[in-house]
Amino acid sequence: MNTLLSEKQYDIAVIGAGIAGSYCADRLQAAGLQVCIIDKSRGTGGRASSKRLANGNTLAHAGASAHDNAGTASSCELGAPFFHLESQQLLASVDRWLAAGVIAPWPAADQQNQSAFTGTPTMSALTRHLIQHCDFFGSEKISIIERDGNAWRLLNDSYQCRIQAKRLIITAPAAQSAILLSGSAAPEAWLLDAHRASLACAPQWATVVSHSSNLVLSQAEIDTLQALPAVIEFKAGPIARIILDSQKPQRTSSQFQWVLQADQGWSQRVIDADNQWVSEQLMEVFTDWLNDQQDYRFESADFSCLPAHRWRLGRHHSSTASASLFDYRWSEALGLAIAADWLGEGSVYAAMQSADNLVKAILASE
Ligand SMILES: Cc1cc2nc3c(=O)[nH]c(=O)nc-3n(C[C@H](O)[C@H](O)[C@H](O)COP(=O)(O)OP(=O)(O)OC[C@H]3O[C@@H](n4cnc5c(N)ncnc54)[C@H](O)[C@@H]3O)c2cc1C
């Protein structure tokens, strides 16, 4: 039985439609190669995706439609809320995305002379834009990669071949890349790198809080809330960072909406806890913090909070053990490559830079 998603033999298949994978797909397609991109999630963005807040209290994936850039007033970012331009290398790409209207500066999140940008109208808009000319296959988990002559075969859990391509780029988080690499023709050193990097990736809880629709805020309260910083970082848990999500450019929510990102150490300790319980813990700290900032007294009931989202694979932290001269892996002989944040500093920008350097290396070998 033919189980292929497409009869085409692609020049390049990319596993993972997060920032790194989408960036590679866009640049390689623009260079004239036939590219497809596959993700186990329904939509794009990976750890920089957006969630639609449906019916006021449930989460849906806002990146679900690959070619629909329609914004939504009620979505939020539970992963990367923005990224910083850490060097000038990607200036040309950033200018293109600004011109396309899929990112915008968010000066409220600038840090140490680094400009901050966020996707518009949601973070997922950037990855949706990047994959628009490629064949995208969502809800498709690849479990095995096999070298067959001069091509790669991508297989699912049932050992069915789904995609065939001359070359393959893996952009999954380190732990998931290690699973794909083990038993494949990839160099052993790559597998070791992936295992090592996966140890430097901690889980993280995140949730979103908005003021309850039956809470009528006075003008003085609105002024106070608006005057609070858009991004607040804490030294000790359980909350690591509060982001005023509704203040990002082109968000049109009429409610104040904050994303609470839990501390990674705290998250690790309670990673198997009930997500409702986690939300309640974060909400309590949030309400206390808010009441410390101003003269009014808010109660927990004045806000609604979604059951927390558990990132089992959260943010990668680069360690000296995993630091390497190259932020990508490429074997021309095998037609196999890796681009990902975990080969760099574990940020959106690191994922972009890894992808950019890999694309240059692949095109130089054409
Ligand atoms: C809570 C949180 C807050 C963060 N805050 C920031 C921040 O403020 N600034 C910043 O720069 N960065 C931040 N980050 C980090 C940032 O999100 C990541 O560094 C970046 O998005 C990684 O991009 P990537 O493409 O390398 O990986 P990913 O986004 O993880 O993309 C990999 C994709 O591969 C897919 N995949 C994995 N395995 C398979 C498989 N077997 N088959 C098919 N598909 C597969 C996944 O579904 C995923 O979509 C944050 C991350 C988290 C979790």
Side-chain angles (χ1 to χ4, degrees):
M1 190 179 63
N2 183 357
T3 56
L4 287 171
L5 291 168
S6 164
E7 291 300 326
K8 289 185 203 164
Q9 195 197 60
Y10 292 94
D11 294 320
I12 306 220
V14 181
I15 299 180
I19 294 284
S22 304
Y23 188 101
C24 289
D26 173 56
R27 293 292 78 208
L28 293 166
Q29 180 84 23
L33 298 169
Q34 281 242 41
V35 182
C36 74
I37 182 159
I38 306 115
D39 203 292
K40 65 185 176 59
S41 295
R42 197 154 69 90
T44 65
R47 283 170 289 149
S49 58
S50 311
K51 305 282 178 195
R52 197 167 42 243
L53 304 174
N55 306 325
N57 60 3
T58 50
L59 286 178
H61 207 298
S65 168
H67 301 282
D68 168 19
N69 259 358
T72 160
S74 53
S75 68
C76 67
E77 273 95 43
L78 294 172
F82 47 77
F83 64 93
H84 289 106
L85 195 57
E86 293 169 22
S87 77
Q88 301 300 300
Q89 179 178 338
L90 300 179
L91 215 47
S93 296
V94 166
D95 283 345
R96 265 199 320 277
W97 303 333
L98 285 168
V102 291
I103 64 166
W106 192 30
D110 286 356
Q111 68 176 27
Q112 293 157 1
N113 299 328
Q114 291 180 350
S115 304
F117 295 87
T118 187
T120 47
T122 65
M123 273 299 272
S124 296
L126 173 59
T127 44
R128 281 202 303 270
H129 170 76
L130 291 173
I131 65 150
Q132 65 184 321
H133 300 301
C134 307
D135 288 349
F136 171 64
F137 302 104
S139 306
E140 194 59 44
K141 184 178 172 198
I142 299 303
S143 300
I144 299 162
I145 54 169
E146 251 180 23
R147 186 89 175 136
D148 182 15
N150 286 330
W152 282 96
R153 285 157 43 85
L154 279 54
L155 296 93
N156 64 12
D157 272 345
S158 312
Y159 210 72
Q160 294 169 325
C161 183
R162 307 296 275 160
I163 292 288
Q164 301 183 95
K166 290 185 201 140
R167 281 160 289 182
L168 171 62
I169 301 176
I170 298 172
T171 69
Q176 291 163 338
S177 292
I179 293 170
L180 290 167
L181 292 170
S182 61
S184 78
E188 267 178 31
W190 294 14
L191 181 59
L192 206 61
D193 288 339
H195 277 309
R196 216 182 274 147
S198 66
L199 297 177
C201 175
Q204 193 165 3
W205 284 103
T207 191
V208 60
V209 175
S210 46
H211 77 259
S212 165
S213 47
N214 43 23
L215 171 69
V216 181
L217 294 170
S218 68
Q219 191 54 48
E221 285 170 320
I222 292 173
D223 292 345
T224 310
L225 293 178
Q226 266 167 350
L228 292 174
V231 182
I232 302 122
E233 304 209 348
F234 296 83
K235 294 243 180 309
I239 293 182
R241 193 159 62 160
I242 297 177
I243 300 125
L244 183 46
D245 199 71
S246 52
Q247 208 197 64
K248 289 186 198 163
Q250 293 183 35
R251 270 58 171 186
T252 50
S253 170
S254 55
Q255 288 175 303
F256 284 96
Q257 192 170 284
W258 294 267
V259 167
L260 315 182
Q261 291 180 349
D263 174 76
Q264 286 192 299
W266 184 85
S267 297
Q268 183 118 45
R269 286 194 291 283
V270 298
I271 197 59
D272 290 316
D274 174 62
N275 56 1
Q276 191 66 51
W277 177 85
V278 171
S279 279
E280 283 161 18
Q281 304 303 306
L282 298 178
M283 176 86 136
E284 204 176 301
V285 178
F286 169 75
T287 318
D288 286 349
W289 167 79
L290 200 56
N291 285 331
D292 282 349
Q293 309 305 307
Q294 37 101 55
D295 303 331
Y296 316 102
R297 184 89 211 142
F298 288 115
E299 305 292 332
S300 292
D302 293 333
F303 299 94
S304 54
C305 185
L306 290 187
H309 178 79
R310 183 193 287 114
W311 293 100
R312 282 214 182 265
L313 301 175
R315 210 164 170 177
H316 282 277
H317 295 281
S318 70
S319 64
T320 40
S322 65
S324 151
L325 214 51
F326 297 104
D327 57 8
Y328 65 91
R329 301 287 182 272
W330 166 230
S331 161
E332 192 180 343
L334 288 172
L336 183 64
I338 308 176
D341 67 333
W342 55 269
L343 291 167
E345 295 292 319
S347 64
V348 167
Y349 195 79
M352 290 173 178
Q353 199 160 21
S354 170
D356 190 61
N357 287 330
L358 171 64
V359 166
K360 285 179 184 146
I362 292 178
L363 294 180
S365 67
E366 280 288 291

